[in-house]
Amino acid sequence: MDRYCVFGNPIAHSKSPLIHAEFASLTQQQLSYDKQLVAEDQFPQAVAEFRRQGGQGANVTLPFKQQAFELCDGLTDRARLSGAVNTLYWQGDQLWGDNTDGEGLVRDLLRNGVELKGCRILLIGAGGAVRGVIPSLFEQQPQSIVVANRTQAKAETLAQHFAELGDISSCAMDEIDGAFDLIINGTSASLSSTALPVNADVIQRAKCCYDMAYGSEPTVFQQQAKQLGVSKSLDGLGMLIQQAAVSFERWRGVTPDPQPVYDLIKRQL
Ligand code: NDP
């Protein structure tokens, strides 16, 4: 049976095995998918050992996405641009890396009827998640992207790094101004139930607010958006399922329907 896994530390919380088992069942694929807890200094050894034991592909989560990027012999364009890898696969003896987070986000937005072409996007946060999604967002030809972050210097660095892809600029979180069609919260503020200090006018004018975080209840950012009358507010569960679907497609060459898996995981949150 073909073997897949997710490497991380911690890893107990990961929903990837359940998601991929459901994809396999839906597409009648015979495969196994496990969690692998890896010590922080043992990532290359763990990947090599997994391959020796017949591993076909793997997902990579915190804190190994950057180490995975450095370990790969080949990278997809979006993985190279984002500097992080969440999906490993082999071509012969060569280890390849992809980053499916951005395409997962884009698929979820499009599936929820959010038009990205010509869109003015505000991206809040400048960590790994935001960095990972910018190349895929630009593929959709938005009008512009503004990156705002608590630590402004990190937002500036990201805007410079991606300047060749399109109209991208940065600002401090409390200086955000102007009109945006889509606001994406890519900070971990929701995980600690912290409201973002973003001007209410800015949120009010958005057509959609998206939080990459998710949980059993709407996140603080979703609640902020709802209270301010934003008609569409989404959480990141769809992104989680869709980024897994893109990995699955890469490994197995078939596209699983994300909806039944979304419904299953939602019920379990
Ligand atoms: P990082 O640790 O790399 O970055 C965290 C970011 O959040 C930084 O920009 C940081 O700002 C900001 N931040 C943290 N706390 C606060 C706060 N209280 N107020 C304002 N800003 C804050 O994390 P990731 O980029 O990996 O993850 C970010 C979020 O995205 C998490 O909620 C994660 O769960 C989610 N995520 C969801 C995925 C999905 O599939 N749905 C996939 C990947 C991530 P500063 O630079 O100033 O420290």
Side-chain angles (χ1 to χ4, degrees):
M1 193 182 287
D2 290 344
R3 289 188 60 201
Y4 299 86
C5 77
V6 55
F7 296 108
N9 188 345
I11 198 65
H13 66 287
S14 174
K15 300 192 184 344
S16 294
L18 177 56
I19 294 171
H20 285 281
E22 287 299 311
F23 285 162
S25 162
L26 286 167
T27 58
Q28 282 129 34
Q29 303 276 305
Q30 296 294 315
L31 58 87
S32 70
Y33 186 113
D34 304 309
K35 294 174 190 174
Q36 287 223 9
L37 177 68
V38 179
E40 295 224 3
D41 59 351
Q42 291 295 309
F43 180 70
Q45 291 86 336
V47 174
E49 182 56 27
F50 178 68
R51 181 61 173 166
R52 260 194 299 280
Q53 291 177 7
Q56 301 286 305
N59 286 127
V60 181
T61 188
L62 297 177
F64 298 119
K65 289 184 180 185
Q66 202 170 337
Q67 278 195 54
F69 171 84
E70 283 154 16
L71 191 65
C72 285
D73 304 304
L75 296 163
T76 60
D77 284 348
R78 59 195 181 199
R80 184 177 47 76
L81 284 164
S82 63
V85 158
N86 76 341
T87 303
L88 296 172
Y89 56 103
W90 280 269
Q91 291 191 339
D93 287 340
Q94 303 258 299
L95 177 63
W96 276 73
D98 191 7
N99 189 322
T100 64
D101 280 340
E103 190 172 341
L105 171 66
V106 164
R107 284 189 189 188
D108 193 40
L109 286 165
L110 296 177
R111 198 177 161 84
N112 281 287
V114 180
E115 176 65 54
L116 291 168
K117 190 165 182 182
C119 180
R120 295 159 302 176
I121 302 174
L122 170 63
L123 256 177
I124 307 176
V130 165
R131 196 183 170 94
V133 301
I134 291 174
S136 298
L137 286 173
F138 267 125
E139 278 174 18
Q140 299 300 310
Q141 301 177 314
Q143 187 183 111
S144 57
I145 296 180
V146 174
V147 185
N149 192 45
R150 183 175 60 180
T151 311
Q152 192 185 349
K154 288 195 205 165
E156 270 170 31
T157 304
L158 278 197
Q160 281 163 13
H161 178 76
F162 290 109
E164 69 187 48
L165 298 185
D167 181 347
I168 183 164
S169 56
S170 65
C171 68
M173 185 103 73
D174 52 6
E175 286 172 5
I176 301 169
D177 196 13
F180 299 94
D181 303 298
L182 169 64
I183 303 178
I184 300 172
N185 177 16
T187 74
S188 7
S190 293
L191 303 178
S192 55
S193 299
T194 308
L196 294 173
V198 177
N199 195 328
D201 286 353
V202 172
I203 296 180
Q204 228 155 17
R205 278 181 272 175
K207 293 183 193 135
C208 175
C209 285
Y210 191 101
D211 198 335
M212 289 194 201
Y214 56 87
S216 53
E217 302 297 327
T219 68
V220 174
F221 181 60
Q222 283 183 289
Q223 289 170 32
Q224 264 179 300
K226 193 169 175 210
Q227 277 159 15
L228 291 166
V230 177
S231 57
K232 192 172 283 195
S233 88
L234 303 164
D235 72 15
L237 182 58
M239 173 180 170
L240 176 79
I241 309 294
Q242 295 279 11
Q243 60 79 26
V246 182
S247 299
F248 193 87
E249 249 173 67
R250 156 97 43 215
W251 297 327
R252 307 301 298 179
V254 287
T255 308
D257 177 3
Q259 191 62 48
V261 185
Y262 178 92
D263 294 340
L264 175 78
I265 305 284
K266 184 86 189 160
R267 283 197 300 275
Q268 295 191 356
L269 287 176

